[in-house]
Amino acid sequence: MNLLNPHQFQSRHTDEGTAELLQSVINWFEARGLTRLKKDWHDKVWNYDFVAFMKEQQVLATLMTPSGYGDDAHWDSLRNVQFAEISAFYGIAYWYTFQVSMLGLGPVFNGDNEAAKQRAARLLREGGVFAFGLSEKEHGADIYSSDMELIPQADGTYLARGDKYYIGNGNEAALVSVFAKNAETGEYVFFIVDSKHPNYTCVKNTVAHQCYVSEFTLNDYPITEDDILSSGQKAWDDMLNTINYCKFNLGFGSIGLASHALYEAMDHAANRNLYGRYVTDFPQVKRLFTDSYCRLIAMKLFAYRATDYMRCASADDRRYLLYNPLVKMKVTMQGEQVVADLFDVIAARGFEQEPFFEVAAREIGMLPKLEGTAHVNMGLVVKFMRNYMFNPAEFEPVPQRDELADDTFLFHQGPTRGLGDVRFHDYHIAYGLFDLPNIQVFKGQIASFRTMLAEAGPDEQQVKDIDYMLGLGELFTLVVYGQLILEHAAMDDTDSDLLNQIFDVFVRDFSTYAAELHGKPANTDQQRQFLLELIQAPAANPEQFDTVWREQVYALKGQYQLRP
């Protein structure tokens, strides 16, 4: 697994057409150059030029047209997440237009309205972008309390009335999928509107940013049955199922942003001389860079392995429902940590207006807070903890999925209930693939954590204490995170020194989370004793650290720079 280097791009996809498409996207950004990208960013210019390019190259049409709605069409998750990583490498505004378009299209292709699907496919070919009208200013993440109404009329039509807030692409969307309630029945309903219709008012951009995150109102917007995508429980399920596969892209956005930041930070530090030494000669700087590199490689190993599980998902295999929120939550938070550590290295340079780093420093924190906060996603993750840790099931091994295919199950996920019944394969299998010192220390931490859950697990009151469960969830998350990383590492033949160094980071992280949970007032004395046992030191190997630093981390110096 390597970091994305646009000068030496290698698609993870075996499909040549995909590689050519992604290379054309890279070429567009590289031709634009850093000065123009930064000027547009500072001036908060919405990315009309990029949308025009995507229309010319049929980028969104290629990425987001499912089979049956275009010539040789595929909704291919591996292709989509590679695009997410590449576009975010140059800035969130470009990734965001893609991301909220996918959200807007989700209820269409999840829904029951065949004519709407054909309409969306046509608008994709015409270069349209899309929007997802879910959140509201008054309710935020409380999606149960939607005030947008669909009001039935005597002639069988409807009027849509209400407002939505924080809606990306709401300024230019060819179609906006709007979540509302039927004013008479109280049932949930999804319908589509056009942002250029006279009864649609784009009020403002809610953020001071290059992205357009709109507030809009519908002023008795006329709706017919042709505009309704789904209703009742199906509308609710379609909403959550759309978020399931779209929030996945946030992790890849974080990977792209943090990778660009790492290249730039390395070049700055390696060429800056302070007190008679280059910055990269200082021990603390070596540690910060090496930890950042390890975190980034781990982010990629986990996220791309999770993609395999999403592509192989079925009604009988819903393991993706655990791995997806971890890509959204854990990977994006790791990206924040990477950029924060790099910021500590380059210090004031990170505030300057010419380098790219200013973009990464400002935007990396957005990703954990979109499509449900990290807290919301952690609340979802802990629902899987009991079955994952204590009740494994048998599954056929999931291969690496690098072929062109239509991931049709994403549009047929079915009801969103029953998360506590989802089963997983035995995590011990992956942890048995490698015999490296820090993996052994980490396995000991996992074993102690499992014993704690079995003998002193959370009681009824602690389960209701969200703050406590969030802390417990951090420990559980690391177990799952390490498992998929090891599965991918075995497939990619990841360097053993690097892998051992990655788990050096994880041992320290596990200890940090245990110490933080130890301080929660809800703990019993028995739980505190178990948590102290989880605090371990990595197996020190200075020679290995130096090898990873010299041959893999410092070797990034001069490898990539966006042209001026």
Side-chain angles (χ1 to χ4, degrees):
M1 179 65 71
N2 297 313
L3 298 185
L4 169 64
N5 183 343
H7 294 168
Q8 302 170 2
F9 174 66
Q10 290 185 319
S11 173
R12 297 191 64 80
H13 220 295
T14 56
D15 176 60
E16 292 184 7
T18 293
E20 291 172 1
L21 178 72
L22 297 177
Q23 185 65 61
S24 75
V25 174
I26 289 172
N27 293 345
W28 187 87
F29 283 113
E30 292 292 320
R32 203 156 182 85
L34 179 60
T35 301
R36 178 61 186 276
L37 288 177
K38 287 302 298 282
K39 184 179 189 306
D40 287 349
W41 189 77
H42 285 130
D43 293 344
K44 303 178 180 64
V45 176
W46 197 71
N47 54 351
Y48 287 101
D49 290 350
F50 186 54
V51 171
F53 159 77
M54 291 196 293
K55 175 183 178 179
E56 177 186 347
Q57 296 294 317
Q58 291 287 283
V59 174
L60 294 185
T62 301
L63 298 177
M64 289 189 244
T65 305
S67 178
Y69 298 96
D71 295 336
D72 196 29
H74 301 84
W75 186 293
D76 185 294
S77 297
L78 179 58
R79 180 163 61 186
N80 287 341
V81 298
Q82 285 186 101
F83 177 87
E85 181 182 358
I86 290 167
S87 57
F89 187 93
Y90 299 97
I92 284 298
Y94 308 100
W95 168 92
Y96 189 66
T97 298
F98 152 84
Q99 166 69 3
V100 291
S101 288
M102 183 181 288
L103 281 163
L105 288 165
V108 177
F109 291 121
N110 288 346
D112 304 318
N113 188 329
E114 189 64 27
K117 296 177 186 182
Q118 296 291 349
R119 180 180 174 189
R122 172 178 57 80
L123 290 169
L124 276 164
R125 293 191 294 272
E126 293 173 3
V129 298
F130 303 85
F132 185 59
L134 178 61
S135 62
E136 297 177 2
K137 187 175 185 178
E138 294 77 12
H139 306 295
D142 180 9
I143 53 181
Y144 295 94
S145 302
S146 176
D147 287 336
M148 176 70 75
E149 289 187 321
L150 196 62
I151 305 167
Q153 302 298 295
D155 62 358
T157 64
Y158 306 85
L159 294 177
R161 185 182 302 160
D163 61 274
K164 292 291 182 179
Y165 196 79
Y166 225 72
I167 309 303
N169 287 357
N171 57 323
E172 292 290 342
L175 288 181
V176 184
S177 297
V178 181
F179 187 71
K181 287 181 180 177
N182 185 301
E184 287 189 356
T185 67
E187 281 192 324
Y188 295 114
V189 60
F190 253 123
F191 57 89
I192 47 177
V193 300
D194 180 352
S195 70
K196 301 309 177 186
H197 192 281
N199 295 68
Y200 177 107
T201 301
C202 184
V203 178
K204 64 179 180 180
N205 190 353
T206 63
V207 297
H209 192 270
Q210 188 180 7
C211 296
Y212 202 105
V213 188
S214 70
E215 175 183 5
F216 72 78
T217 60
L218 299 182
N219 309 295
D220 289 346
Y221 190 113
I223 298 293
T224 70
E225 288 293 338
D226 290 341
D227 303 312
I228 294 178
L229 304 174
S230 54
S231 58
Q233 184 64 41
K234 179 68 161 58
W236 178 263
D237 290 339
D238 285 354
M239 177 267 296
L240 291 179
N241 287 332
T242 293
I243 294 172
N244 274 344
Y245 55 81
C246 291
K247 69 184 178 184
F248 198 66
N249 296 321
L250 278 87
F252 293 89
S254 191
I255 291 167
L257 261 184
S259 296
H260 198 157
L262 178 57
Y263 283 118
E264 196 172 67
M266 176 59 74
D267 280 355
H268 171 72
N271 290 292
R272 185 168 176 79
N273 194 291
L274 296 176
Y275 312 110
R277 303 169 69 185
Y278 285 102
V279 171
T280 44
D281 291 333
F282 291 101
Q284 76 274 22
V285 170
K286 291 181 181 180
R287 169 62 67 185
L288 287 168
F289 267 126
T290 302
D291 280 2
S292 295
Y293 180 76
C294 286
R295 290 188 193 279
L296 255 175
I297 294 297
M299 288 159 66
K300 292 198 70 168
L301 286 167
F302 179 83
Y304 277 103
R305 181 57 178 153
T307 307
D308 294 331
Y309 282 95
M310 188 160 73
R311 303 195 74 193
C312 291
S314 68
D316 298 321
D317 183 358
R318 298 202 296 163
R319 288 175 286 178
Y320 75 105
L321 291 174
L322 169 59
Y323 307 145
N324 283 18
L326 290 186
V327 173
K328 183 267 174 273
M329 176 194 69
K330 180 67 175 180
V331 173
T332 59
M333 293 177 72
Q334 287 287 284
E336 274 192 299
Q337 185 66 58
V338 168
V339 173
D341 286 348
L342 296 175
F343 216 149
D344 283 345
V345 171
I346 68 172
R349 178 69 169 169
F351 295 105
E352 295 181 11
Q353 63 179 333
E354 288 84 8
F356 181 82
F357 198 93
E358 180 193 18
V359 176
R362 167 84 184 277
E363 295 183 340
I364 197 71
M366 298 177 182
L367 293 162
K369 300 168 182 66
L370 298 173
E371 326 310 351
T373 64
H375 292 168
V376 169
N377 279 273
M378 182 64 85
L380 173 64
V381 164
V382 296
K383 294 180 180 181
F384 301 107
M385 184 160 58
R386 179 174 295 279
N387 272 351
Y388 179 93
M389 297 297 297
F390 296 103
N391 190 23
E394 294 288 333
F395 289 91
E396 289 295 319
V398 168
Q400 275 192 313
R401 293 289 306 278
D402 56 5
E403 81 285 2
L404 183 64
D406 198 55
D407 299 333
T408 55
F409 176 72
L410 299 178
F411 307 119
H412 306 286
Q413 296 175 65
T416 54
R417 59 185 178 271
L419 299 183
D421 297 329
V422 176
R423 303 281 296 280
F424 301 88
H425 60 297
D426 191 341
Y427 63 87
H428 293 93
I429 298 171
Y431 282 101
L433 295 173
F434 297 90
D435 184 15
L436 294 171
N438 283 314
I439 293 177
Q440 294 301 333
V441 176
F442 193 71
K443 285 166 64 175
Q445 291 174 305
I446 294 173
S448 297
F449 176 60
R450 188 177 187 278
T451 301
M452 173 188 163
L453 291 176
E455 298 182 10
D459 60 25
E460 185 176 341
Q461 287 302 115
Q462 289 171 328
V463 169
K464 295 177 182 178
D465 183 342
I466 297 175
D467 183 56
Y468 186 83
M469 292 305 293
L470 289 173
L472 195 70
E474 292 285 10
L475 294 167
F476 171 56
T477 292
L478 261 179
V479 181
V480 185
Y481 198 60
Q483 176 203 341
L484 262 63
I485 286 166
L486 291 175
E487 289 183 8
H488 200 164
M491 293 173 169
D492 271 12
D493 196 23
T494 299
D495 176 72
S496 60
D497 286 345
L498 173 61
L499 197 58
N500 194 50
Q501 197 61 44
I502 287 172
F503 277 84
D504 178 291
V505 174
F506 290 174
V507 168
R508 287 182 275 131
D509 283 353
F510 206 92
S511 299
T512 297
Y513 296 142
E516 290 176 352
L517 185 58
H518 181 273
K520 304 286 185 185
N523 280 303
T524 65
D525 290 340
Q526 185 184 19
Q527 287 168 335
R528 286 197 176 92
Q529 185 58 45
F530 271 117
L531 289 167
L532 287 176
E533 295 175 9
L534 299 184
I535 300 173
Q536 300 291 328
N541 189 332
E543 293 80 11
Q544 176 191 273
F545 175 87
D546 286 341
T547 298
V548 172
W549 158 253
R550 184 179 62 257
E551 296 182 1
Q552 299 188 53
V553 186
Y554 185 72
L556 296 174
K557 174 187 175 184
Q559 290 299 304
Y560 173 78
Q561 185 176 30
L562 178 58
R563 78 171 188 85

